[in-house]
């Protein structure tokens, strides 16, 4: 296992290192609207969305945030026009291929969560390769939710546990939160402390339903391709003002 070799940058004014979230999740909304405002086809918004995501990953790493999770494609996104779905699948594959070397050099661990079996075979292969080549990297854990749905994730965990009960491997009264979490796609990843959603929508949209039980929400009107370090700084400042009580007084 590689040590965490990252050289942390000084934080911008107003941020306290000890209050940084350990894990940030993002719903990258507004790519289509961004493109429309520029008079461009929707797919151009997704292309610019990739640049915004790359910048955010670098920023998290520079500032010492240990995990970033991005909602790239939901189980409901298949309902989009076929050509947009095809474009997104090709984009994911191309970006993975282009960025893998840098992720290895930068000590980034990438992993994918979701029902990956339903993705195009060539994308599945690229995903497996990138996960295998970065599995020992420790500067930041970057999780991409692809063909992900929170309800589906919970259902498949239930099925897996029910099978173990049927086989006598576990007793029903042994099923607690820890056992359940081990059967989620996100097993081994700490819950997000902060979820950022761009473009003003105030919904969870089937993202990390179990994991966001105590996570803080930050909603901004900014469209995803315009979400930059200044915006992220603002989100972190707002987060650091919150008092997290986890149900206590
Ligand atoms: C939502 O905007 C965005 C998406 C469904 C796609 C997000 C994907 C990326 C930014 C690419 C990530 C790439 C990798 C390799 C992880 P929208 O289309 O719903 O925008 P709208 O609400 O304005 O229509």
């Amino acid at each position: 296992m590689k040590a965490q070799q990252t050289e942390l940058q000084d934080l911008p004014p107003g941020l306290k290192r000890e209050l940084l979230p350990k894990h940030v999740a993002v719903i990258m909304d507004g790519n289509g609207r961004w493109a429309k405002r520029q008079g461009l086809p929707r797919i151009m918004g997704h292309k610019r969305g990739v640049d915004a995501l790359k910048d955010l990953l670098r920023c998290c790493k520079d500032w010492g945030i240990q995990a970033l999770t991005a909602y790239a494609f939901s189980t409901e996104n298949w309902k989009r026009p076929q050509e947009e779905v095809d474009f997104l699948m090709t984009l994911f594959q191309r970006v993975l291929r282009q960025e893998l070397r840098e992720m290895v050099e930068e000590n980034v661990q990438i992993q994918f969560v979701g029902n990956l079996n339903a993705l195009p075979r060539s994308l599945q292969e690229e995903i497996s390769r990138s996960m295998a080549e970065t599995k020992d990297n420790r500067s930041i854990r970057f999780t991409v939710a692809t063909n992900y749905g929170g309800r589906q994730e919970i259902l498949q965990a239930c099925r897996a546990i029910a099978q173990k009960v049927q086989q006598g491997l576990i007793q029903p009264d042994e099923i607690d939160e820890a056992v359940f979490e081990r059967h989620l796609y996100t097993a081994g990843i700490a819950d997000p402390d902060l979820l950022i959603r761009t473009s003003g929508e105030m919904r969870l949209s089937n993202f990390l339903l179990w994991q966001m039980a105590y996570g803080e929400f930050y909603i901004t009107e900014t469209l995803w391709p315009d979400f930059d370090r200044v915006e992220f700084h603002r989100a972190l400042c707002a987060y650091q003002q919150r008092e997290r009580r986890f149900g206590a007084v």
Side-chain angles (χ1 to χ4, degrees):
M1 187 189 291
K2 287 189 202 169
Q4 182 163 351
Q5 303 159 331
T6 318
E7 291 231 347
L8 295 186
Q9 281 183 4
D10 288 339
L11 292 175
L15 284 182
K16 297 195 183 78
R17 194 165 289 289
E18 66 278 12
L19 290 182
L20 278 180
K22 290 187 171 60
H23 182 177
V24 172
V26 279
I27 301 182
M28 308 178 286
D29 207 3
N31 290 347
R33 274 164 282 174
W34 181 90
K36 194 169 174 203
R37 281 186 200 170
Q38 315 284 323
L40 296 168
R42 286 178 59 80
I43 55 172
M44 292 308 290
H46 298 314
K47 272 182 90 168
R48 285 297 292 266
V50 172
D51 296 336
L53 183 58
K54 277 168 56 181
D55 286 349
L56 179 63
L57 177 62
R58 181 168 293 280
C59 188
C60 286
K61 185 173 169 278
D62 288 346
W63 292 353
I65 291 169
Q66 295 158 17
L68 173 68
T69 296
Y71 203 5
F73 195 86
S74 77
T75 44
E76 288 71 38
N77 285 153
W78 297 107
K79 295 177 202 150
R80 292 182 175 221
Q82 188 61 44
E83 59 180 21
E84 184 171 338
V85 170
D86 291 345
F87 177 85
L88 281 168
M89 295 299 146
T90 310
L91 180 70
F92 297 155
Q93 194 173 326
R94 200 178 60 224
V95 170
L96 266 185
R97 199 174 312 132
Q98 278 169 0
E99 302 299 326
L100 181 58
R101 181 108 340 269
E102 199 174 334
M103 285 192 287
V104 170
E105 279 163 16
E106 300 265 342
N107 202 10
V108 173
Q109 182 189 30
I110 188 168
Q111 65 194 125
F112 285 75
V113 292
N115 178 7
L116 306 179
N117 295 331
L119 298 173
R121 170 100 5 229
S122 52
L123 175 56
Q124 287 185 46
E125 283 165 10
E126 209 68 59
I127 286 175
S128 301
R129 194 155 69 95
S130 65
M131 283 173 51
E133 284 193 30
T134 63
K135 71 177 177 10
D136 295 325
N137 291 358
R138 288 294 177 270
S139 75
I140 186 167
R141 191 167 198 172
F142 177 42
T143 304
V144 185
T146 312
N147 195 22
Y148 174 89
R151 288 185 174 183
Q152 290 81 353
E153 176 183 39
I154 289 170
L155 281 176
Q156 68 76 34
C158 290
R159 273 188 226 110
I161 295 170
Q163 260 169 5
K164 288 187 183 169
V165 171
Q166 204 173 34
Q167 292 161 359
L169 298 172
I170 185 169
Q171 296 302 311
D173 57 6
E174 289 170 349
I175 303 167
D176 58 11
E177 290 190 16
V179 167
F180 197 78
E181 277 166 6
R182 280 202 291 277
H183 292 81
L184 293 172
Y185 298 136
T186 54
I189 308 173
D191 291 343
D193 304 293
L194 171 65
L195 170 68
I196 298 170
R197 182 163 190 164
T198 53
S199 92
E201 312 291 352
M202 301 197 189
R203 290 185 292 276
L204 194 47
S205 295
N206 207 11
F207 190 41
L208 302 176
L209 297 183
W210 171 281
Q211 298 86 342
M212 274 300 291
Y214 289 102
E216 297 287 329
F217 277 91
Y218 178 84
I219 314 273
T220 169
E221 292 294 326
T222 302
L223 305 177
W224 176 252
D226 289 330
F227 190 86
D228 57 11
R229 271 180 190 231
V230 174
E231 290 283 342
F232 188 42
H233 178 210
R234 206 170 282 149
L236 292 176
C237 287
Y239 169 80
Q240 295 202 334
Q241 301 301 315
R242 311 259 179 99
E243 194 191 342
R244 302 186 74 196
R245 291 196 298 269
F246 300 95
V249 286

